[in-house]
Each structure stands twice: as structure tokens, then as C-alpha cells.
Amino acid sequence: MKFTLSWLKDHLETDASLTEIVERLTAIGLEVEHVDDKAGLRPFVIAKVLSAVQHPDADRLRVLTVDTGDGRPPVQVVCGAPNARAGLIGAFAAPGTYVPGIDVTLAVGKIRGVESHGMMCSERELEISDEHNGIIDLPQDAPVGTSFAAYAHLDDPVIEINLTPNRPDATSVYGIARDLAASGLGRLVGGGIMPHAGDGLCPVKVTIEAPELCPGFALTLIRGVKNGPSPKWLQQRLLAIGLRPISALVDITNYVTFDRGRPLHVFDAKKVTGNLTVRRAKDGEKVLALDGREYTLTPEMCVIADEDGVESIAGIMGGEHSGCDENTTDVLVESALWDPITTARTGRALGIITDARYRFERGVDPEFMVPGIELATKLVLDFCGGTPTEIEVAGYAGHKRKTVSFPLSEVKRLTGIEVPKAESLDILTRLGFEPQGSGDVVKVKVPSWRPDVDGKADLVEEVMRIHGVDNIAPQPLTSHDAVNGKILTVLQIRTRAAKRALAVRGMMEAVTWSFIPAKHAELFGGGQTALKLANPIAADMSDMRPSLLPGLISAAQRNADRGIGDVALFEVSGTYEGDLPDQQRRVAAGVRRGTAKLDGSGRHWAGNAGPVGVFDAKADAIAALEACGAPVDRLQIEPGGPAWYHPGRSGTIKLGPKTVLGTFGEFHPKTLEALDVSGPICGFEVFVDAVPEPKAKPTRTKPKLELSPFQAVKRDFAFVVDRTVEAGTLVRAALAADKKLVTGVSVFDVFEGASLGAAKKSIAIEVSIQPVEKTLTDEDFEALAKRIVENVNKQTGGVLRA
């Protein structure tokens, strides 16, 4: 919401400075985002052209002698404006001045061989209008040597505030002035609106077929208007807040929208056929709007139509057909009430954002519907002349004010400070509320312009923002005798741990979009269950991602396209398999491309590193799971994975037969082709939320770490097994032979050859043995070795290799 300081002072009689007003606005909940005090226009001064002669080397240029009014000799300026002449008074910019309209800081220069010491400016160069056919031509009584900005009232600061959706009353300059006056910064003025005397009934009648969408509609006809440019002061105010002046009739509607928060619409009466009807749109009905675009409507949308069809999208934008132009002589002025939810849904569905929609979807003051049209009629008569009819009002049954029961003790209970009862009631009264009663609990009538106030907590908020939240005394945090419990959740702790573990492995963290194209979602398991967006921000961001991998793969390819082919990226974030909470998962995922091995250098002591592969992805996945607290010694690796991986170079990580903790592998060539990505590239995904939580410790005391005084021993075994037997199965069998003595088993060799027989392979393992009670004898080792061999044979069918 933007407004100028002078505009605010139309409604607020105050001696407060700009700084005081800005500070008070933020203090009462209307946060000031930006203040433009127009300092950039201060260097421009009013100057007079003493002489204008033809440039010696250019037909369209003239050499001017300019008196800047500073008592110094006149300066020479080269100018190409067609209206440059002796005696002209305009706006002058000296060397060193920044000209915003052309984004140039002036300097002394030569133009076709003639020195120019400054510039006579047009309105567009000062960004006060689009006029650029000539330099500014001021009246002869304009004071030479004074500030042009002050003379033209362009030194008016512009204030921009950030509004929350629950403050529709502050979408108007008058509403903001009302809050400032209630805070004690001045007196509210300029609120009265005198009704006009109409000449007969309005010949155009209004029928409301959808009262649930339009609770009220007011209309008046003004005959004999002359539509031209609006007054300069009005144009300057609209330009200051970023609106382009169009014509007096259109500018009036924009002015009332911002001045009073009352959106209006004007129809060229001669372009309207018959009477008006407020109804639901017909399915497939189309309208050409004022923005030049054609919109297709649905029955969920509300429109204003005449006998020929739709003339306006209710509460959002008018139609091109019945819009006013310079030939308009009879104008229909409309002021209506529209259902906020319907307005918001229609605007979102059609992709239209307007100042009218902004206000109607938040809720406008129903009691200002008729006064709003009275104000607009007065302005039309002042600027364009004409004769108005009486106002036609349809459907409006009056506003029923809400009454809230307000225990005054709630202020203390909810805020922690004591506000005197009289002050609380006085604040509410100044804001337009009507407290009734004298006890500790009063009934408070809510004004029509505050649809956001529903309960006692809302009234406490009103009291506190005017009383001043800075009056709440700071309180130190209370200390606890005991050590506080953990603050972060298990999922937050795991997320941090996974990020740290992957970063240690040389991977760079990436943050990718949660939205991906539909074809990418289908590639990675989306399909029919994909969570599609009703209103995507772009066509290629239509689905919520079912996997982190498509975003990471695309990011790796973008790096490769820019010459960084060896890249390792990871992300720990959410994926979406549906709209239910249990269909949203926390996932850690990563990809490696090119030769981005663990050390991240792409080099190896024996030469260049080879391309990344399935085992790089597996190591990353195991590291992430270990960081999240997964029992890595009990994990099971099954060959194969989802369809986006290569079937022979991928795996699935499980904990038991049903719990899937992750997948990894090299990506299928068809997947890379569909993503328009080149390899080699591998990746993984682990499901952070699927890792089981550790069992709670029975006591707070730390377990005693006992170190064995006996020497650890390592023994090697080589087993001949079927080629289909997995090394992990053999490792688990050896570990289970004696869980007390066997502390570790690792594979150090796998061999296949004709000497072993068809479909056979040899797996060599190293078994770590740690005695804990005594030094083991040869007989003890032989007995343990026998149990290991028997266990492996029983579970895998393997026999010792001869």
C-alpha cells in the first residue's frame, strides 16, 4: 500500500514530521517497508531561456543561453526539443545531476562540437509523465532559481507499508489516517461526504441473480460528461504510487480505491444494452477484459452482464467493450459488494491481480458502498461536469454489526501488562468500536470496516498496538536447576547429521525446486499418484517432486554445461508422494558425475580416476544411513532398484525383509536420455524417516568401556560358494559363529575361474577375533574356526577352498 505524505494529511491534521509518522506507523502494526522522500528531484531548478540560436552543425539542435537564477553568468546548453525558444521557463539540470528518466548522470560535454553545461528536461526525463515531445514549459510567473520539485509539488514523500491480510481497513489512506489519529498523532478530518441531488431515477436497472455472490449493488448514471485528462494534482498522486493516469473517469475510480478502499467501475452507458444482471458466468463464456486479454469463464465465477453478454468480471476487472474513452458522454458508475472467497478464487483461476481484487478478497466496508458512489459522483461532476440521476441500490439489506463480549482482564492475561480500564475503552472508541457497559466485562460493537475482528483476543490486539507493545517490560528467561531436555526433534538431528556426513565425503549441498515437470515426476515414480499443483508458478513446475534425484541430476548437468563436469551434489529435504502427511518423506539424496570420487579431486596417485559407479553411490548411501543412526552392521543389500536405475548396477538397502532404507546405483540410459543428461552419473536416496529410533537407555549412567588385556588375532578363510551367493550373507554367517569372540568380518578377495568349477566363485574373508577372558590356545582357535566353517556351510553351502 503506497501513499504520499500530502495525501495522508488530507485526512490527518497533524504537526508530526515524516520520521515521527513512519515510526508510529510501524509501532501500531502498519510496518513501513520503504520511504521515497523524492530527494532525487531536489537538484532540478527552475531556469529561463534567454536566447536560442540554431546549432552550427545540426538542423534539429539549438544552442540555448540559460539563466539558472543563482546570480552567476548564464550557462550554455545544447537542446533538441522542438519547443526550445527564448523566454521559455522550464526545469534545468546542472552537470553532476542524475536524471532518472534516462538513467544518466550529466557531465559537461560537447554535442556536435558545441559545449553543453547541463540540460533542459522533459516530463518523462523527470519521470512525472510520459510526455517527451518537448521540454517542460512553465508559466511566466514561475520563480526562476527555486526548486522545481517544490514548485510542482513533486517533493511529496511516498510511504509504502506492508499489510497483513487481516487489515482490509488499512488498504485506504483514510483508514491509515484513522489509525494514526487513534494513536494520538493527530486529528482525523475529511471524512464527511454530502449526498448529491439526483435528476430522476437511474434508467438502467440491476437484477441480482446470485445474491450469495453479490450482497449489494449501487448504480448511478451521469449524463453530459466531458471525459478528458484528470487534474494535475490527481495525476501526480497516481504517478507517485505507481499508477498511470488514463482519463478523468478512470483516474477517479483509482483515486477512490486508494483514498477510501472502495473499488468502483465505470461503464460507457451508450455501450451498455438494456439493464444489468449480476449472475454466475456460463460455462465457456468469454470476455475481452480491459487488459486486452480474453478470458474463459466458469460457473464458479461472478459477472456483470447486459443483454448482449458479459461486461465485467465482478470485483476484478471490467470489459473492454463497455470501457470509457475520450468520446464518453454518459457514464454509469458502479459500487458493489462481492463475496471475498469467490473473488479470490476467480482472480487466482484467471491469473488476474488488480487493486480491486486485492481489496474485495480481503473484505471492503459494506456501509461505504453508497457513500463511495456519492464521492465518485462528486468528483465526476467537479472534473467532467454532467447531470447525475438518483442512485439505484439493489440487494443491500444493511450491515449487521458484530458484538464481542470483552473481559477487560484479558489484556493483562494475554499481554502481561496492566492497561487501565479507561484507557482500553478509550482506545477502542478512538478506533471506531463502541464499548457498552461499565463492568469488568463489556459488550463491544465492531465497526463495519473491521471484518477481521471476531473475538476478545482481537480486541486485546487492538488495545495493545495502540497502547504500544514497546511498553511490555523485557523479562529474562527463567533458568532451570536441571539440564534442559533436547530441543531438536529426531528428524532435525538426523537431517543435520546426514548433511554433515555427506559434506565430509566431498559433496556440495544443493537446494533444488520442490516443483518439477510432469514428465520428470512420472520418470521417478510419480505416475497417477503424483501431487499436481492447481496453480503452478510455471508450466514446467506442475508437480510436487516424488524424488530429490531429478532436481539433483539436472543441477549436475547444468554444471557440466558450464565446464564443471566432475561434480558431487547432495540434498536433504522433503519428497511428496501424495497430499497426506504420511505420504511426505524426509530424504537424503546425492549424485556424482564424471570422476567426482570421494576425494573430490578427480585424480588418483596412479593416474586419472575412473568414472563414478554403483559402489561410489553405495558408499555415500551407507555413510548417510550411519550418520542417521542406522545399524549398518545389520543392513541387507539386495541387487536391483527402482526403474530409473540400471538393473544390473543398482541395489536396495533394507533392514529386515520389509523396511526399505534406501536405494542406490548408476542411472538407466533411458532415464538420462529423458532428462537430456549425459553421464557417467550415479546417485542414491536414503529415507531418513524410515531409520528406526534407538531404544531408550534404562539409566542415565554411561556404560563402562572395558578394554580387553589380551591380544587380538586375525584369521583368513576362503570359501568356494555358488556364484549366486552374496558376500554379505557369508559375512553374516561368519559373524554369527561366535558373537562374543568374533568382532569383525571383512571381504578382501573374490575370485572366479575354471579351476573352481562351473558357476562357482571364491570369497576370501578376514575374521577379527578378540579374546576377552583368557588367552586362546590352539585348541580354542581350532574350535572357533570349525564353528565358522560349519556356520558358513549351513547358511551358504560354502566349503573351505583347498
Side-chain angles (χ1 to χ4, degrees):
M1 174 67 187
K2 291 183 178 181
F3 55 92
T4 66
L5 181 60
S6 66
W7 195 346
L8 177 67
K9 289 187 175 181
D10 282 354
H11 302 299
L12 182 69
E13 190 177 277
T14 181
D15 295 327
S17 66
L18 174 63
T19 301
E20 291 173 326
I21 290 174
V22 168
E23 290 177 353
R24 185 62 59 86
L25 283 169
T26 300
I28 62 176
L30 303 177
E31 181 184 1
V32 176
E33 283 197 332
H34 180 69
V35 177
D36 183 4
D37 62 358
K38 298 296 183 182
L41 294 180
R42 290 173 187 166
F44 297 90
V45 299
I46 299 175
K48 182 175 183 178
V49 179
L50 302 179
S51 65
V53 299
Q54 187 67 40
H55 192 289
D57 294 323
D59 293 339
R60 296 186 178 182
L61 298 178
R62 291 175 182 167
V63 181
L64 312 180
T65 303
V66 179
D67 176 16
T68 61
D70 57 0
R72 299 177 182 178
V75 297
Q76 179 174 280
V77 176
V78 177
C79 180
N83 65 334
R85 67 184 187 279
L88 180 141
I89 298 179
F92 171 74
T97 302
Y98 173 74
V99 183
I102 57 176
D103 192 23
V104 168
T105 299
L106 298 179
V108 177
K110 287 188 176 182
I111 302 177
R112 294 289 186 93
V114 176
E115 276 196 354
S116 181
H117 296 259
M119 178 181 185
M120 297 296 291
C121 303
S122 68
E123 291 189 354
R124 188 168 75 173
E125 286 158 348
L126 269 62
E127 292 188 335
I128 58 177
S129 80
D130 290 333
E131 180 60 43
H132 65 286
N133 292 325
I135 56 178
I136 295 172
D137 192 349
L138 299 176
Q140 288 300 307
D141 60 354
V144 175
T146 62
S147 168
F148 170 74
Y151 172 82
H153 302 291
L154 298 175
D155 56 346
D156 195 5
V158 178
I159 304 170
E160 181 178 3
I161 63 174
N162 180 27
L163 286 182
T164 51
N166 67 320
R167 291 302 306 277
D169 59 302
T171 59
S172 68
V173 179
Y174 185 82
I176 295 169
R178 179 172 50 221
D179 263 18
L180 287 171
S183 73
L185 204 64
R187 188 171 67 90
L188 187 65
V189 295
I193 299 173
M194 293 295 295
H196 67 271
D199 183 13
L201 298 176
C202 179
V204 179
K205 303 301 178 183
V206 180
T207 301
I208 301 177
E209 294 183 356
E212 71 279 8
L213 304 183
C214 178
F217 196 104
L219 187 72
T220 189
L221 172 66
I222 307 175
R223 299 184 179 94
V225 301
K226 184 178 181 181
N227 189 22
S230 57
K232 200 69 174 178
W233 67 267
L234 178 52
Q235 292 188 38
Q236 289 173 350
R237 283 190 174 175
L238 295 180
L239 285 168
I241 62 175
L243 296 180
R244 180 174 61 89
I246 298 174
S247 66
L249 292 175
V250 177
D251 292 353
I252 287 169
T253 63
N254 287 331
Y255 177 76
V256 176
T257 295
F258 279 84
D259 187 66
R260 297 302 185 94
R262 162 36 65 181
L264 306 166
H265 186 63
V266 288
F267 300 88
D268 189 324
K270 293 184 178 180
K271 298 176 183 178
V272 175
T273 304
N275 295 320
L276 296 178
T277 302
V278 178
R279 59 173 173 81
R280 292 182 179 272
K282 300 173 183 176
D283 195 18
E285 200 168 21
K286 296 183 178 181
V287 59
L288 180 64
L290 287 171
D291 61 358
R293 297 172 58 188
E294 186 176 70
Y295 296 95
T296 302
L297 310 176
T298 66
E300 289 76 28
M301 301 174 184
C302 186
V303 298
I304 304 172
D306 63 5
E307 294 179 2
D308 290 339
V310 177
E311 295 294 351
S312 175
I313 306 172
I316 297 178
M317 185 177 287
E320 178 74 24
H321 171 262
S322 58
C324 295
D325 53 32
E326 66 276 4
N327 300 315
T328 298
T329 57
D330 297 343
V331 60
L332 284 167
V333 184
E334 165 255 306
S335 175
L337 300 174
W338 306 108
D339 176 58
I341 295 178
T342 302
T343 304
R345 287 175 176 170
T346 300
R348 190 173 301 162
L350 299 179
I352 305 176
I353 299 175
T354 62
D355 294 318
R357 172 194 163 184
Y358 180 84
R359 286 158 177 80
F360 279 125
E361 68 185 9
R362 283 161 173 76
V364 299
D365 183 2
E367 291 289 86
F368 200 75
M369 180 182 72
V370 174
I373 204 170
E374 296 275 15
L375 176 59
T377 301
K378 179 183 182 301
L379 293 174
V380 171
L381 298 181
D382 290 344
F383 302 160
C384 307
T387 304
T389 66
E390 294 181 8
I391 297 175
E392 170 83 9
V393 179
Y396 186 59
H399 173 69
K400 185 178 180 180
R401 297 177 64 177
K402 290 182 287 188
T403 300
V404 177
S405 179
F406 182 38
L408 294 169
S409 59
E410 285 295 284
V411 177
K412 170 71 173 178
R413 187 181 72 85
L414 295 179
T415 67
I417 64 173
E418 193 76 49
V419 179
K421 173 183 175 182
E423 182 181 349
S424 296
L425 298 179
D426 182 52
I427 288 173
L428 292 175
T429 302
R430 297 200 306 265
L431 287 170
F433 296 85
E434 293 183 14
Q436 298 173 340
S438 57
D440 293 333
V441 179
V442 297
K443 300 291 185 181
V444 179
K445 285 191 173 181
V446 180
S448 59
W449 58 82
R450 293 303 302 270
D452 58 303
V453 175
D454 292 309
K456 56 187 180 182
D458 298 322
L459 295 177
V460 172
E461 181 182 358
E462 294 301 302
V463 170
M464 280 311 305
R465 69 184 185 88
I466 301 300
H467 175 75
V469 293
D470 53 341
N471 290 320
I472 300 177
Q475 296 289 335
L477 292 174
T478 57
S479 61
H480 300 282
D481 295 333
V483 177
N484 291 333
K486 64 181 182 180
I487 298 174
L488 300 179
T489 65
V490 172
L491 203 55
Q492 289 172 329
I493 294 172
R494 289 178 177 176
T495 297
R496 294 186 176 192
K499 287 183 178 182
R500 185 171 298 174
L502 295 173
V504 167
R505 295 181 61 78
M507 307 185 81
M508 301 291 291
E509 184 176 7
V511 179
T512 63
W513 286 99
S514 298
F515 321 123
I516 61 174
K519 65 176 185 179
H520 291 186
E522 293 174 4
L523 278 173
F524 287 83
Q528 299 296 326
T529 63
L531 186 58
K532 294 188 176 293
L533 299 174
N535 186 27
I537 60 176
D540 59 348
M541 292 185 175
S542 59
D543 290 40
M544 298 296 288
R545 61 186 179 195
S547 167
L548 299 180
L549 291 174
L552 290 173
I553 294 172
S554 300
Q557 184 62 38
R558 286 194 295 272
N559 279 273
D561 293 341
R562 289 159 177 78
I564 307 175
D566 301 328
V567 63
L569 303 175
F570 78 89
E571 183 173 8
V572 184
S573 189
T575 61
Y576 308 87
E577 300 171 3
D579 56 357
L580 298 177
D582 60 350
Q583 294 176 310
Q584 301 176 17
R585 310 201 66 176
R586 174 68 57 171
V587 178
V591 297
R592 292 183 183 269
R593 189 188 184 281
T595 61
K597 296 286 189 175
L598 174 58
D599 63 355
S601 66
R603 295 182 176 272
H604 190 267
W605 64 271
N608 290 336
V612 295
V614 58
F615 294 109
D616 298 301
K618 176 185 176 183
D620 291 334
I622 296 297
L625 286 172
E626 185 176 12
C628 293
V632 293
D633 57 328
R634 294 192 284 118
L635 297 181
Q636 301 172 7
I637 311 296
E638 293 185 356
W644 50 87
Y645 290 117
H646 192 293
R649 301 175 187 172
S650 60
T652 300
I653 306 173
K654 289 186 174 182
L655 185 62
K658 296 182 178 180
T659 304
V660 177
L661 297 185
T663 59
F664 62 89
E666 299 175 26
F667 293 103
H668 199 290
K670 290 184 178 180
T671 301
L672 299 181
E673 181 181 0
L675 294 174
D676 195 20
V677 171
S678 59
I681 186 167
C682 66
F684 71 93
E685 275 188 309
V686 297
F687 308 117
V688 177
D689 52 6
V691 177
E693 293 189 23
K695 294 181 179 179
K697 300 292 183 183
T699 176
R700 290 188 178 182
T701 59
K702 295 183 178 179
K704 185 184 297 183
L705 181 62
E706 295 184 359
L707 297 177
S708 175
F710 303 106
Q711 178 68 42
V713 180
K714 293 183 179 180
R715 290 288 180 91
D716 295 343
F717 297 83
F719 293 95
V720 177
V721 296
D722 291 338
R723 189 175 296 170
T724 57
V725 174
E726 299 174 0
T729 304
L730 191 146
V731 168
R732 287 191 293 273
L735 280 169
D738 192 316
K739 294 182 179 180
K740 190 174 184 179
L741 292 176
V742 179
T743 58
V745 178
S746 61
V747 178
F748 66 87
D749 181 62
V750 177
F751 170 74
E752 295 182 15
S755 61
L756 298 176
K760 296 289 185 179
K761 66 180 178 182
S762 170
I763 300 178
I765 61 174
E766 180 185 73
V767 179
S768 298
I769 304 169
Q770 176 61 67
V772 292
E773 297 177 352
K774 65 176 183 175
T775 300
L776 299 183
T777 63
D778 290 342
E779 291 77 12
D780 294 331
F781 280 117
E782 291 299 329
L784 177 60
K786 183 178 179 181
R787 290 197 299 273
I788 292 174
V789 172
E790 290 176 351
N791 225 37
V792 170
N793 179 264
K794 182 178 179 180
Q795 296 188 32
T796 67
V799 296
L800 275 177
R801 182 178 173 185

